[in-house]
Structure formats: C-alpha cells, structure tokens
Amino acid sequence: MSSLKENRKFTEENASNKRPKLEPQTSLKEKYRLSGIKEPDVGITEYITKDDTGFTGILKHRYTDFLVNEIDTDGNVIYLENVGFEPKKRPPREANSCKKQDVTPCTIKLSEEHRIKLESYFGEEDVKKLLALLVTGDNLVSQRTFDDKEQRTKIHKLLREAFYGKLETITSENNRFKIALLTKGSRRSKADSVIVEHSLGKPTEFLHVTMLKENKETMEVASTLSRLLKIPVKWISYAGTKDRRGVTVQRLSLEKMRVERVSHLNKVLRGVKLGSFAYATQPLKLGQLNGNSFLITIKDVKYSGVLEKILENRLQTLDSSGFVNYFGMQRFGTFSVPTHIVGIQLLQSNWKGAVELLLSEQELVMQDSIESRKIWKQTHDASLALKTMPSKCNAEYAILKKLSNERKKDGNYTSGSYFNAIMQIPRNLRIMYGHAYQSFIWNSVASKRIELFGLNVVEGDLVLLTQDETDEDLKHQANDQFSDENDEGETEDIKKSEYVQAKVVTKQEIESKKYSIFDVVLPTPGFDVIYPSNEILRQVYIDLMAKDGLDPFLMSRRVREFSYAGTYRRLLGTVNGLEYYVRHYSDNNESLVRTDLELLKLSGTLNQAEGTHPLLEAKRIVEDKPGDKIAIIVKMQLDVASYATMALRELMRTETSRRGDTHEEE
C-alpha cells in the first residue's frame, strides 16, 4: 500500500514528465454568453445501459413538485412534526408596578442581594440613578467601562433579573452601559410580552430545530434568521445545503438561543416554519447527514409504448445498477455564463477576466440586472453600474460596490483592484466557482471511464481505503514525519478523521473480485489526491485541463481560497427505497402531493409541540382521479452529494437541461 507521501512524490514526478504547455483558452469565455449550457457542455454524456426507451415530462412546474427531507446520521428521515409552541400572554408581575406602554413612574423592590451585586459593578451612585430612572424615565450611561465581554454578559443578565426585564440595556462603543426603561417600542418588548410552556429542560449552548422552507435557499434563510435574531450568521449551522426550487425539510442548530425567542419567529417568517425544538451540547456540522429522501412529481408525461412496462424496466435498472454519479446541471449555475467558466479564470489568477464574465451581458440572467450589465459594458463605471444592480445579485453587487471605491490607473482598474473586488464576494460563493470547475473535470473523466471500460473494474482504478487501511497508512506517515523532522524539531499532528484516502486497484484484487464498480472512485483535481494509474484516464485529466491553461498536478495557489485539495467521488450513485405512483390530472398547477406542513394541518397537530406526532403518510400522495394528463411520482433516497436530477436522467433517458430549472441536493 502506498502512503500519501509516496503518492505525492509519484504525481510530482509524473507532472514533470507529462506537464503540458499552459496556454489560456479564451474561446470558452464567449461560448455560453448568449445561451445556456447543455449536458455535454459540462461533461455529462453517458448512461448506465444502452436501452434508450424512456419518457419525457415536466420537472418542477411548481416548487411543491419537489419535496426533500434530510436523513440524519442514524438513518431517520427528518419530518416537520410540529411548528413550535403556542405563545401565551405573560401574566402581570405582582412584584412591581412598571408598565411597558410608557415611561410613567413605577417602583421595583430591589433585593439586597441584587443591590450589593449591582453596586460592585456600577458603584453606589449609579445604582441610585438606576432606581431613579424608574421614576423619571431618564436614561443612564454608566460611569465605569466594562471591557470584558463575559463580564458584560453577566451584567446584562443581572439587570434583567433585578428589574424583572423592565430595562433596556445596551453597550456603547466605549463599553459603557446605556440603560433606559423598556417601552412599548423597545426591541425586546414584543418578545417579552409572550411566554411558551415546554418540557425541553434547562437551556444548553445550542438549540436544534427542524426547518421547512418553501422556494428558498438554506443560506438565504440563515441570513434572514441572523437578521431577525440579531446574531452572527456563523451561529447558525446545518448538515447540508438545500437549493431553492422545492419544499425541503432539514435540521438547523443555533448558538446561544432560547426556544422562546426562536419559536416566536413562526409568526413573522414567510415560506419558512420552525419546529421540533431540542437543546443540545453540540452544533450541527456540514456533512453530518446520511443523505436525502425525495418525492418528485414529473408532470405531463409523454411516452411511446406501454407506460407500466417502460417504468418497470427503467426502475429495475436504476434500482440494480444505479446511475452515473454526475454533478448535476445546478452545479454550473442558471445564467448564460456557467460557474465553471468563471472558475477557470480564478484558477488562472485572471481576476479581471472573472469580473468581466460575472458582469457581462447575458441572455439568461436575472432581469433586474440587465441595465447594470449594459452600463458596465459601455462605461466600465462601477459607481454608475452599481445604482441599477440589485443587491440580491450577491457576487455582482459585491464586485461593483468594491470597485466603486477603487482608484483607476490610466483610466482602468488595476489587477489588484479586480482581485479586491473578487474577494468581496461572499466566501461560500467565491469558492463555488472553482468547485464547479473541479466538477466539470470529474464529469468529463467519468464519462470517458464509462465509455472505455463500462461497468468493469479495471487495473489502475481507485477505491477508498478502509478504516483499518487508513489507520495503517497513517502510522507509516507518522513514522515518515518523525524521521523527517525539521531543524526546529516540529512535527505535524495527524487527525485520522480528517483524511479520506484512496488506493490503486491491483491486478490480483481484480482477479479475486475484491471490489465492484460501486467501490470505484474518481478524484476531483486537487493537490491532495492521487489520480488513477490507468494512463488513459490520467491523460484525460491532463488534456482537458491543458485546454484551459491548467495542470491537474499544480492545484496549489498563492491565494489559499483558490487552492483546492480535491476530493474522491464514487463513479456510480445508488438509489434506495425506490417507489413510483401514476396519477391522472387535468391542470399542471394541481398539487399531487402534500408537504409536511399540509399534513400537519390535515392532522390538526400543528402546535402540539410536546412529543412527536406521526405525519399522515398515507395521505402524502393524493388519490388518483380522472384527467387527460399523466404524472409520475417518484420516491427515493440518495446518498450525500448525489444529485436527484442525475438519477431522474437515468430513469427518463432525457437531458435534464431541457427541463428548465433543475434542482439537486447535496
């Protein structure tokens, strides 16, 4: 078995012999400017079987035609089982006479314990002023400053307890406390006017919640929650991102949040419902899931022959042989200029080229941005173009905003200015372009692999190491590192959980049939992966990337975010729990399935948050009825990172890009 260090040495030596002359390819920049992309443009060309009998239909005519439920690490499908707690009015306190409607004089009986603590923080004089403001309604700014964050948190809590939540407290820029009587218009008055009764126990550092969202992206909802809760968006985490076009259900975790505050948001959120709350000691982490469960309605189905026979044959093939595990069309964007073409420019460190592509005039683009793109093309005046660029165009808006503050040199922005503008794009979006290019290369190599060798395991293929093999390999690496200490005697700690490693399949392993085609993986280009030792496949990586002025053996960059380590992805995807239903209907706007929220309303358990309430799964799919149109409803479960549209492509034998807006889950 070869170690990671040996693999790196091998690839570097191979690179020196095979490395092509790097010449940038500019024709791709223009290819998609006025039209969208098709599957072959992103390397999607092959099917598992040669049988081309399939059917056509409309995918996601409505977003309710695409239901997705996350599967947790225990294999349980996540459902929205309630929508939180029914809020109740907070009863009046007998201990004081303060009212939130105004700042009229009121009294609070301050306990001796609270007085002593407050005086230790603020001093005797400021505590007297605190009590006085309850009568006068004046504001107070503390004489002392409090630079320690933990201490400030304790003081905020103490003030709430001592004055029964009747004071509004904030910290000034110089870390002094600003204190006033809580009024009707105060930011906490509405939240403090209601209570919820629950049995979740004592609050812990993290609150886990099930979220149902309709026609919204996960990151979009996270941003909304961050704004409403007045917390950093990094305090909101999730196991997987779900795309916009669909009704999706998943778990979120929120840091330092109480259920009372979060449950109340159901009153103001649109297209989002929160429920199934639970306190936890750990947050959710990206990738902490086992996959996704899909219920997909394909409408206006057209076919030639006997539909039942076609479905049985296609479903049997999909169930037994799986599908080519391509990165779906969604990976490459919905605009005329696909994301992987932008990724080429970033990997070439051509910052201006990337900006020009993102701001270019395109036929398929958000309509609100057309005028801004026209202005940019004609004037290259960032300030002028910014005025008509909608902020929801995150990348374009961020670029123009930064360039509008950059100085031109000889009438043009410098390369440094373009780089600064690129770095203003939100990070998750910034690195997506390079990932899209990696996906394009993977798709292309996977197609060549299927074309050349079909479903046979061949010498030189790659498979993932087992845990035992990984542990053994890490031991070798640790020994190597111990012997290769630098002058300072430093060594690198290895955390085996962070590594996913692969090895080359040998002739002996093929003869013993140790591995099946479902074990074979291919790498996305990166500096921390090995490539198939099969020279034909290895050369595909080299030749494809050479066309773009890139080299698979040189994926490190001076800018860390554009240095890609690479990952391993299984060649074939598998489908579990495959079922189908045929329904007749008359209007494409009809809903033929019910969402979790609709089932909750049907069962009458919307706000019964104590315990769980099984959804009426028997009523998930509507009964068949007379109609001149046919729909096929497909139910299936896919592994993490597999695209539902790629499974449907194998089932329908039709190109997914022809069906308009597609949706895939990762």
Side-chain angles (χ1 to χ4, degrees):
M1 185 185 307
S2 59
S3 69
L4 181 61
K5 183 177 179 181
E6 290 170 340
N7 289 333
R8 282 175 176 162
K9 182 179 179 181
F10 176 79
T11 55
E12 288 169 359
E13 290 175 350
N14 187 77
S16 65
N17 296 327
K18 299 285 186 177
R19 189 171 300 147
K21 182 180 179 181
L22 302 183
E23 297 179 355
Q25 184 186 35
T26 57
S27 59
L28 286 174
K29 294 166 60 178
E30 305 295 330
K31 182 176 181 180
Y32 311 108
R33 189 176 295 275
L34 297 177
S35 63
I37 56 175
K38 302 295 183 183
E39 287 181 350
D41 296 326
V42 293
I44 301 173
T45 60
E46 302 300 310
Y47 291 95
I48 293 295
T49 66
K50 301 301 181 183
D51 178 13
D52 59 359
T53 304
F55 58 92
T56 62
I58 301 173
L59 179 64
K60 290 192 299 182
H61 177 76
R62 302 183 65 194
Y63 62 81
T64 50
D65 293 338
F66 207 94
L67 308 187
V68 187
N69 290 72
E70 201 168 73
I71 303 173
D72 66 19
T73 52
D74 293 324
N76 302 310
V77 179
I78 302 297
Y79 296 107
L80 183 72
E81 297 178 331
N82 57 66
V83 289
F85 304 90
E86 189 68 39
K88 301 178 181 179
K89 287 288 183 180
R90 185 181 295 276
R93 296 182 183 272
E94 297 180 358
N96 67 80
S97 61
C98 287
K99 297 181 179 181
K100 293 182 180 177
Q101 284 81 356
D102 48 42
V103 290
T104 56
C106 60
T107 59
I108 286 180
K109 186 178 180 180
L110 190 64
S111 71
E112 188 63 24
E113 180 184 359
H114 285 148
R115 180 189 293 274
I116 292 172
K117 288 183 178 179
L118 287 169
E119 287 181 351
S120 70
Y121 287 124
F122 293 103
E124 186 177 348
E125 184 179 348
D126 270 2
V127 172
K128 288 180 180 179
K129 292 180 180 179
L130 267 176
L131 293 171
L133 71 80
L134 298 174
V135 178
T136 63
D138 292 337
N139 296 335
L140 169 67
V141 178
S142 67
Q143 297 181 45
R144 299 177 181 177
T145 59
F146 303 88
D147 297 326
D148 184 79
K149 184 178 179 180
E150 290 187 7
Q151 185 185 52
R152 294 198 301 269
T153 301
K154 290 179 181 179
I155 295 173
H156 281 296
K157 184 178 180 180
L158 175 61
L159 287 167
R160 285 197 299 270
E161 292 177 353
F163 293 93
Y164 302 96
K166 305 304 179 183
L167 299 179
E168 177 82 357
T169 63
I170 60 174
T171 309
S172 67
E173 292 182 1
N174 57 0
N175 292 330
R176 297 180 188 273
F177 270 79
K178 292 183 177 181
I179 306 171
L181 189 63
L182 193 68
T183 64
K184 187 175 181 180
S186 298
R187 61 180 179 175
R188 279 183 21 243
S189 61
K190 289 185 179 180
D192 282 357
S193 66
V194 297
I195 59 173
V196 296
E197 296 178 355
H198 61 81
S199 58
L200 299 183
K202 186 178 180 180
T204 56
E205 188 172 358
F206 300 97
L207 178 67
H208 287 206
V209 55
T210 296
M211 174 185 72
L212 177 146
K213 62 179 182 64
E214 299 175 340
N215 206 30
K216 296 181 184 295
E217 294 178 345
T218 301
M219 287 180 286
E220 176 187 355
V221 177
S223 178
T224 299
L225 294 177
S226 169
R227 175 174 53 82
L228 292 174
L229 294 171
K230 293 180 170 54
I231 61 174
V233 72
K234 66 181 180 181
W235 285 12
I236 303 170
S237 57
Y238 33 82
T241 58
K242 305 289 183 287
D243 291 320
R244 174 185 297 275
R245 193 68 176 169
V247 180
T248 67
V249 178
Q250 67 184 112
R251 290 293 275 177
L252 299 178
S253 66
L254 300 101
E255 188 174 345
K256 300 176 183 177
M257 281 291 109
R258 289 176 176 264
V259 65
E260 294 87 349
R261 196 170 171 197
V262 180
S263 182
H264 181 69
L265 295 180
N266 280 320
K267 295 289 184 181
V268 297
L269 290 169
R270 295 291 178 267
V272 177
K273 288 295 180 183
L274 306 174
S276 301
F277 295 97
Y279 285 117
T281 57
Q282 296 294 328
L284 287 172
K285 296 181 180 179
L286 204 61
Q288 198 173 348
L289 73 165
N290 272 3
N292 295 285
S293 178
F294 296 86
L295 190 65
I296 303 168
T297 304
I298 306 168
K299 290 180 174 175
D300 199 19
V301 170
K302 307 294 184 184
Y303 59 95
S304 177
V306 180
L307 181 59
E308 292 292 334
K309 185 175 180 180
I310 293 172
L311 287 173
E312 288 178 6
N313 290 338
R314 301 303 319 142
L315 287 163
Q316 183 179 1
T317 300
L318 182 60
D319 190 43
S320 61
S321 302
F323 58 97
V324 186
N325 199 23
Y326 289 122
F327 291 94
M329 299 298 290
Q330 177 70 14
R331 186 77 162 185
F332 305 98
T334 56
F335 290 176
S336 295
V337 176
T339 52
H340 74 287
I341 301 301
V342 179
I344 293 172
Q345 305 303 311
L346 295 178
L347 286 168
Q348 291 177 340
S349 300
N350 183 2
W351 318 122
K352 179 181 179 181
V355 167
E356 292 293 356
L357 282 174
L358 289 169
L359 297 180
S360 66
E361 289 188 289
Q362 304 172 41
E363 184 175 302
L364 301 178
V365 77
M366 194 173 292
Q367 293 297 305
D368 295 350
S369 70
I370 290 177
E371 182 62 24
S372 177
R373 295 173 188 278
K374 184 177 180 180
I375 292 172
W376 173 258
K377 181 180 180 180
Q378 294 175 348
T379 68
H380 270 58
D381 186 328
S383 298
L384 191 60
L386 179 64
K387 294 178 180 179
T388 54
M389 179 62 74
S391 59
K392 58 186 175 183
C393 293
N394 293 326
E396 295 88 340
Y397 187 85
I399 287 171
L400 289 173
K401 186 175 181 180
K402 181 62 178 177
L403 285 179
S404 65
N405 294 317
E406 294 281 324
R407 291 185 178 181
K408 290 185 176 181
K409 185 177 181 180
D410 298 327
N412 298 304
Y413 294 108
T414 65
S415 178
S417 293
Y418 283 116
F419 171 75
N420 292 336
I422 288 290
M423 297 306 289
Q424 293 304 304
I425 300 173
R427 184 180 182 279
N428 64 294
L429 189 56
R430 217 165 47 226
I431 63 177
M432 177 197 71
Y433 300 115
H435 286 155
Y437 182 72
Q438 289 178 300
S439 302
F440 161 70
I441 296 298
W442 190 97
N443 282 355
S444 302
V445 177
S447 291
K448 195 66 176 178
R449 167 65 180 74
I450 295 293
E451 176 191 338
L452 292 174
F453 308 115
L455 303 183
N456 299 312
V457 182
V458 298
E459 189 175 354
D461 274 335
L462 299 180
V463 295
L464 296 180
L465 293 178
T466 64
Q467 187 61 57
D468 289 341
E469 290 171 326
T470 301
D471 292 344
E472 186 66 26
D473 206 41
L474 288 170
K475 285 182 183 178
H476 291 310
Q477 289 182 51
N479 291 334
D480 290 342
Q481 288 175 348
F482 182 77
S483 62
D484 291 339
E485 287 181 347
N486 61 25
D487 291 338
E488 289 74 33
E490 296 176 348
T491 59
E492 180 183 359
D493 292 330
I494 298 176
K495 296 181 180 179
K496 62 184 179 183
S497 60
E498 294 179 359
Y499 288 88
V500 176
Q501 299 185 52
K503 69 172 186 177
V504 175
V505 177
T506 64
K507 182 179 180 180
Q508 291 77 11
E509 288 170 330
I510 293 173
E511 291 174 349
S512 66
K513 298 183 179 180
K514 183 176 181 179
Y515 300 108
S516 75
I517 191 64
F518 292 103
D519 297 311
V520 173
V521 299
L522 287 172
T524 62
F527 61 79
D528 207 18
V529 296
I530 63 172
Y531 294 92
S533 64
N534 182 292
E535 284 299 323
I536 298 175
L537 291 181
R538 181 181 290 266
Q539 197 62 38
V540 174
Y541 281 96
I542 295 171
D543 293 343
L544 278 172
M545 296 183 66
K547 293 177 182 178
D548 303 315
L550 299 171
D551 187 331
F553 304 105
L554 296 175
M555 290 298 288
S556 293
R557 296 292 182 274
R558 185 172 296 179
V559 181
R560 184 178 179 182
E561 286 187 6
F562 303 129
S563 291
Y564 293 95
T567 59
Y568 297 104
R569 182 178 180 85
R570 294 194 186 277
L571 178 64
L572 299 187
T574 56
V575 179
N576 296 309
L578 188 59
E579 300 177 14
Y580 78 93
Y581 307 83
V582 177
R583 290 293 182 267
H584 296 81
Y585 69 102
S586 301
D587 186 347
N588 282 337
N589 290 323
E590 292 181 48
S591 289
L592 303 180
V593 297
R594 295 184 176 94
T595 68
D596 285 13
L597 186 60
E598 289 171 330
L599 288 178
L600 279 177
K601 292 177 179 178
L602 196 63
S603 67
T605 60
L606 202 61
N607 289 106
Q608 297 180 25
E610 295 301 317
T612 60
H613 304 274
L615 297 172
L616 304 177
E617 279 299 316
K619 295 185 179 295
R620 174 76 73 177
I621 300 171
V622 302
E623 295 293 327
D624 198 14
K625 61 182 180 181
D628 58 349
K629 295 179 181 291
I630 295 177
I632 297 172
I633 301 170
V634 179
K635 183 177 183 180
M636 61 182 173
Q637 294 183 0
L638 300 179
D639 292 336
V640 178
S642 287
Y643 284 69
T645 45
M646 294 298 97
L648 292 176
R649 172 182 180 272
E650 188 70 40
L651 174 66
M652 300 173 68
R653 302 289 295 195
T654 187
E655 184 175 311
T656 53
S657 58
R658 293 175 183 166
R659 299 202 296 274
D661 184 14
T662 58
H663 178 107
E664 303 85 6
E665 292 302 318
E666 288 193 272

